[in-house]
Each structure stands twice: as structure tokens, then as C-alpha cells.
Amino acid sequence: MKIAYSIVAPIYNEIDNLPELYRRVKEVMDSTGETWELVLVDDGCTDGSTEKIHELAAQDKAVRPVIFARNFGHQIAVTAGLDYARGDAIVIIDADLQDPPEVILELAEKWREGYEVVYAVRAEREGESWFKKFTAALFYRIIFRITDVKIPLDTGDFRLLDRKVVNVMNSMRERHRFLRGMASWIGFKQIGVEYKRVARHAGETKYPLKKMLRLALNAVTSFSYFPLQVATYIGFVAAGIAILAIPVVIYMRMTGSQAFFGQATTLISVLFLGGVQLISLGVLGEYIGRLYDEAKGRPLYIVREAPEDQ
Ligand code: UDP
Ligand code: MG
């Protein structure tokens, strides 16, 4: 059967959101009169969401469950959803209804006009702490500045992708994934549609600070060498200062100046440069660790149950 739209939702302990997600997606997608499927990727749920997904799948063939063997993280869950999706247009959406399914109609309209990537821009965010909003705003701006890919500001993963784009994405099997960056990197005809990001329907955020930092690090290391180059810049500046300082100190000694004597000066400069060197090593480590992960070539995710198993 030919499927027009695939809706992909990653699920990590969203039991109270699932029925409402299904109901609203169904309502919106039925109104298009086209064929559609809802790919629910269970990212190692422990709260009974898995059973709920099975229930929905038993009652409606349009629901296709992909059940992971454990938690692999949001970006990997979406990746699996893209792998299993069969539609001509694929929509990535959060399961917590922060991205209103009704916006899909607007995304689809742009798609029919010929755009191949239609990303949803958060014009407003509701029901999130100022800390989350501030770190998110900062994050998107830093990424925009230091990466070589121009990732649109204030866009999440909520977007519609044409089949052509998804086929390219599926061929990119990098492990530390930042999907919105990958989608920008690919090119094609892209456009944004503004929407209002509302509060979670139920439950708590599954993105604690640690996961947010990891996503930010993946974004930076996947799309920029800037952190590696910082060491070079600091090295040139430090070496420059040292070279300039030599004649200055010689002159001061000859004229009998007492400046720059003592341990404190030595200690501070040694500690400062030692610190810079250790940080640079750590930055190198971030890149080498990722290289090592890629070299191992393990599968991106492990599926306990694929949709065909139903
Ligand atoms: N999610 C996931 N695996 C994870 C964390 C989150 O599949 O390890 C899903 C989650 O169920 C939701 C989406 O990713 O559908 C976005 O997560 P969340 O709403 O918690 O993030 P926030 O909106 O707070 O940034
Ligand atoms: Mg959310």
C-alpha cells in the first residue's frame, strides 16, 4: 500500500500522552483524506507505554510500533522512526504534544508547494522554565555562529521531510547525531513555518541538563572543528606574549626594576597554561572518543520488536 504521510514520534515514558497523541494525529491526518501511518518508537520505556503502544497498534493498523531493547536516546529513536517510515512525506513530532499535530497541515501545505524540508520555528514557547528557554536560545545561537552549517534558529526536530531527504538521512549512519544539523547540511529546498510551542500535555521533560549538554556537544563536534582550533589560537597568543615579554624583562632587569620577581608570577602562569593544556586535551578527547565510537561500527540501535513482527 502506498502511504502518503508517516508521522514519527519517539516515546520515552509518555504513557499519559499516548492516547491523546494518537487521537489528535488521527483527527488531523484523517482530515487530509490521504493515507498515513504513525510510527511510534519505544525508546526503552519502563512505565507501561510499551503495552499502550501495543494496544493502539492492535486497534489501528496505521500505528506501527518499533520497540527498542533499551533506551538509546531521543535522536536515535527518531532515526529508527525514519528508517521504518514508508511515507512520501515524513513528519517528526514530539510525543508530549508540545508540537501541536494540527501544525502538520501547514507543513504539508508547504510540501505540496514543492519544499522538501519544512521545519517548524518556535515563535513562542509556553510552559517552560526561563532556564530552559535561556539555555535553548543561547545554544541555538552558539551553534549558528561556530558551525559551518547554517542551522535555522529556534527550530527543534519538529519538521516535515520529503522522501528524497529521508533517503539521504538514512544513508548517514553517524552515531552522535544531531538531526536538525544533518537536515540542514543535506540542502534541498527548505522553508520554515512559525508555530507556538505549548506546554507538555502530561509528564515531565525527559531532557535533563545532562542530556541537553550531550546534545549540544554532539551538535558542536558533528558540525564544527572550532573547539579544536581554539587551542591553536590560544597557543599563538601565549607564544606571542612570551616573545614580546623577553626583551621587556631584559630591559627591566638592566634598569634594576624589581617587577616580575617572586613565585606568584611563575606559579600563576604555569597554572594558567597547564589549565589551558588540560582543557585542550579534553577537547581532543571529545573528538577522539567520538572517532572511537564510529570506528567500532556497532548498530545505532537494537530493536526488540519491529513493525512487521505484529
Ligand atoms: N525522548 C526519547 N528518548 C529519550 C528522551 C526523550 O525518545 O531518551 C522523547 C520524548 O518521549 C519526547 C521527545 O523525545 O517525545 C522530546 O522529549 P522531551 O519532551 O522530554 O524534551 P523537551 O521538550 O523537554 O526538550
Ligand atoms: Mg517536550
Side-chain angles (χ1 to χ4, degrees):
M1 190 178 65
K2 213 174 123 38
I3 309 258
Y5 295 101
S6 295
I7 317 297
V8 169
I11 315 285
Y12 184 50
N13 295 345
E14 305 280 8
I15 188 160
D16 295 325
N17 290 319
L18 275 168
E20 185 67 5
L21 174 74
Y22 168 71
R23 191 189 65 75
R24 277 176 62 188
V25 166
K26 181 174 168 56
E27 197 175 292
V28 169
M29 296 320 293
D30 280 347
S31 79
T32 63
E34 305 264 9
T35 46
W36 59 276
E37 63 177 10
L38 174 61
V39 181
L40 295 176
V41 185
D42 174 339
D43 188 12
C45 295
T46 51
D47 68 339
S49 296
T50 315
E51 288 69 38
K52 195 95 222 159
I53 294 172
H54 281 141
E55 232 172 75
L56 290 171
Q59 138 200 352
D60 187 344
K61 281 265 160 290
V63 176
R64 300 177 70 221
V66 179
I67 315 283
F68 277 3
R70 63 167 168 86
N71 180 255
F72 280 90
H74 170 222
Q75 298 285 301
I76 299 286
V78 173
T79 303
L82 296 182
D83 286 341
Y84 281 98
R86 301 172 296 185
D88 297 328
I90 292 94
V91 179
I92 304 169
I93 197 168
D94 278 0
D96 58 2
L97 295 160
Q98 280 198 285
D99 309 326
E102 292 70 29
V103 178
I104 296 175
L105 297 177
E106 289 171 50
L107 303 181
E109 202 182 299
K110 290 284 177 207
W111 176 59
R112 281 194 303 272
E113 283 173 22
Y115 290 98
E116 288 138 328
V117 175
V118 190
Y119 51 86
V121 184
R122 301 158 177 177
E124 248 183 86
R125 297 171 78 120
E126 219 175 51
E128 285 174 306
S129 67
W130 70 265
F131 180 74
K132 175 104 187 181
K133 284 187 207 171
F134 174 75
T135 48
L138 189 70
F139 166 65
Y140 290 118
R141 274 145 194 89
I142 291 176
I143 297 291
F144 190 80
R145 287 218 137 211
I146 70 168
T147 58
D148 314 322
V149 188
K150 287 306 156 223
I151 302 164
L153 292 172
D154 302 317
T155 60
D157 287 315
F158 185 26
R159 58 185 64 219
L160 181 149
L161 305 169
D162 186 87
R163 166 53 51 193
K164 291 195 284 282
V165 177
V166 170
N167 286 345
V168 179
M169 294 266 275
N170 290 351
S171 72
M172 295 159 73
R173 303 313 282 179
E174 61 211 67
R175 184 157 314 273
H176 298 278
R177 305 171 83 76
F178 185 60
L179 294 166
R180 21 201 129 143
M182 290 163 66
S184 299
W185 181 84
I186 290 174
F188 286 101
K189 274 176 75 181
Q190 310 215 356
I191 195 168
V193 167
E194 290 203 341
Y195 79 112
K196 184 171 155 196
R197 188 162 163 91
V198 295
R200 254 181 174 270
H201 173 69
E204 296 264 294
T205 175
K206 307 300 181 307
Y207 256 95
L209 189 60
K210 204 173 138 209
K211 275 191 185 172
M212 270 166 39
L213 281 176
R214 200 180 308 152
L215 182 71
L217 269 179
N218 284 342
V220 173
T221 51
S222 301
F223 290 98
S224 172
Y225 298 130
F226 180 74
L228 288 173
Q229 292 159 343
V230 168
T232 320
Y233 301 141
I234 298 179
F236 271 114
V237 171
I241 293 173
I243 288 171
L244 289 178
I246 293 168
V248 173
V249 171
I250 291 175
Y251 175 76
M252 285 164 87
R253 288 288 182 282
M254 281 165 49
T255 55
S257 160
Q258 295 295 309
F260 295 121
F261 271 114
Q263 281 185 349
T265 326
T266 320
L267 209 70
I268 288 171
S269 49
V270 165
L271 281 180
F272 176 75
L273 278 183
V276 168
Q277 283 172 358
L278 285 178
I279 293 170
S280 308
L281 260 184
V283 170
L284 262 180
E286 289 291 335
Y287 281 86
I288 293 175
R290 283 170 173 74
L291 262 174
Y292 181 49
D293 277 343
E294 298 296 349
K296 280 191 279 193
R298 291 189 185 159
L300 288 184
Y301 53 84
I302 300 163
V303 167
R304 193 172 67 207
E305 249 178 74
E308 301 79 57
D309 303 341
Q310 296 301 305

